[in-house]
Amino acid sequence: AQSVSQHNHHVILSEAASLELGCNYSYGGTVNLFWYVQYPGQHLQLLLKYFSGDPLVKGIKGFEAEFIKSKFSFNLRKPSVQWSDTAEYFCAVNSNTGNQFYFGTGTSLTVIP
Amino acid sequence: DGGITQSPKYLFRKEGQNVTLSCEQNLNHDAMYWYRQDPGQGLRLIYYSQIVNDFQKGDIAEGYSVSREKKESFPLTVTSAQKNPTAFYLCASRQGDIQYFGAGTRLSVL
């Protein structure tokens, strides 16, 4: 079975600091990779996705993620966080032939003004 | 206004009681999913359905049941066999490889 590991459970940053959240997955085949975000009181929503092609993908609100196949990683980055980025972030994976999605345990990000 | 509607927002269950969580979508998506979200454990798959009248167990299906009689609806029943039902339950539908989530139902045990 596939699994997803998120290394950071709670992250606290000051505004304008840079962000990197780690995500590693275990699956030997071709995968699709996702980052979802859950803002306080809101629906879980897609932040960005990687299916194929350029391993550096850009999402909404200035976020980006880099797929490194050799490391089975898909880390999320943002050069300068804002207070409004306070949320819970989930990494997810599914195989491109599968119906199930596997989520990491989530990282709670708090940005201090 | 298209989307996934989950109801109720909050639900309380008494010991030995079955409760049903509603999930409705008007996105015309074939596939629907139920997840359980617990602090520090992320989202875990309970059941999913690729088409009407068909569904498969996820990783933690014990103590739950579902039905898929209509494309728009995928209700989840938390049975009395589920000994630790207190959690946040999320329903999703899928188009291609992207999932769309509802606002969730928070279930607590009285």
Side-chain angles (χ1 to χ4, degrees), chain B residues 46-76:
Chain B
I46 304 173
Y47 269 97
Y48 65 102
S49 168
Q50 295 298 109
I51 56 172
V52 174
N53 293 323
D54 185 57
F55 47 83
Q56 287 80 40
K57 293 181 179 180
D59 297 324
I60 56 165
E62 186 175 350
Y64 300 97
S65 66
V66 293
S67 62
R68 188 84 187 280
E69 297 176 3
K70 299 187 300 181
K71 189 175 188 178
E72 302 79 19
S73 179
F74 190 41
L76 173 74

Side-chain angles (χ1 to χ4, degrees), chain A:
Chain A
Q2 301 174 41
S3 67
V4 179
S5 298
Q6 290 183 240
H7 317 299
N8 318 98
H9 298 293
H10 300 281
V11 173
I12 301 174
L13 295 173
S14 298
E15 276 195 317
S18 64
L19 170 72
E20 180 160 2
L21 301 182
C23 173
N24 287 89
Y25 66 93
S26 65
Y27 184 69
T30 304
V31 294
N32 300 315
L33 296 155
F34 309 84
W35 277 97
Y36 281 86
V37 61
Q38 191 172 32
Y39 296 105
Q42 294 189 28
H43 295 210
L44 200 65
Q45 58 184 283
L46 183 67
L47 195 57
L48 49 78
K49 62 186 185 296
Y50 172 81
F51 290 168
S52 64
D54 188 343
L56 184 63
V57 293
K58 296 189 183 299
I60 59 173
K61 303 187 180 186
F63 286 90
E64 64 179 32
E66 185 175 12
F67 170 51
I68 303 179
K69 189 175 182 180
S70 61
K71 295 184 178 181
F72 296 89
S73 70
F74 190 55
N75 292 356
L76 181 70
R77 300 195 292 248
K78 186 171 183 178
S80 176
V81 295
Q82 300 173 306
W83 174 79
S84 59
D85 294 324
T86 295
E88 190 149 13
Y89 293 80
F90 294 92
C91 183
V93 62
N94 81 324
S95 73
N96 65 351
T97 58
N99 297 318
Q100 293 193 42
F101 292 76
Y102 296 87
F103 285 79
T105 53
T107 297
S108 174
L109 171 66
T110 300
V111 180
I112 302 170

Side-chain angles (χ1 to χ4, degrees), chain B residues 14-89:
Chain B
K14 295 180 182 178
E15 291 287 341
Q17 186 181 41
N18 292 353
V19 292
T20 298
L21 285 61
S22 170
C23 179
E24 303 280 328
Q25 55 107 350
N26 60 4
L27 300 170
N28 200 34
H29 293 168
D30 287 316
M32 296 185 74
Y33 297 74
W34 273 107
Y35 294 92
R36 171 178 170 141
Q37 185 178 4
D38 295 280
Q41 296 195 53
L43 277 68
R44 294 181 290 166
L45 182 64
I46 304 173
Y47 269 97
Y48 65 102
S49 168
Q50 295 298 109
I51 56 172
V52 174
N53 293 323
D54 185 57
F55 47 83
Q56 287 80 40
K57 293 181 179 180
D59 297 324
I60 56 165
E62 186 175 350
Y64 300 97
S65 66
V66 293
S67 62
R68 188 84 187 280
E69 297 176 3
K70 299 187 300 181
K71 189 175 188 178
E72 302 79 19
S73 179
F74 190 41
L76 173 74
T77 296
V78 184
T79 74
S80 57
Q82 172 49 246
K83 298 307 179 188
N84 184 24
T86 297
F88 189 56
Y89 291 86

Side-chain angles (χ1 to χ4, degrees), chain B residues 93-108:
Chain B
S93 68
R94 172 184 177 178
Q95 182 178 46
D97 283 305
I98 297 175
Q99 291 189 308
Y100 299 84
F101 288 85
T105 293
R106 189 165 298 279
L107 175 63
S108 301

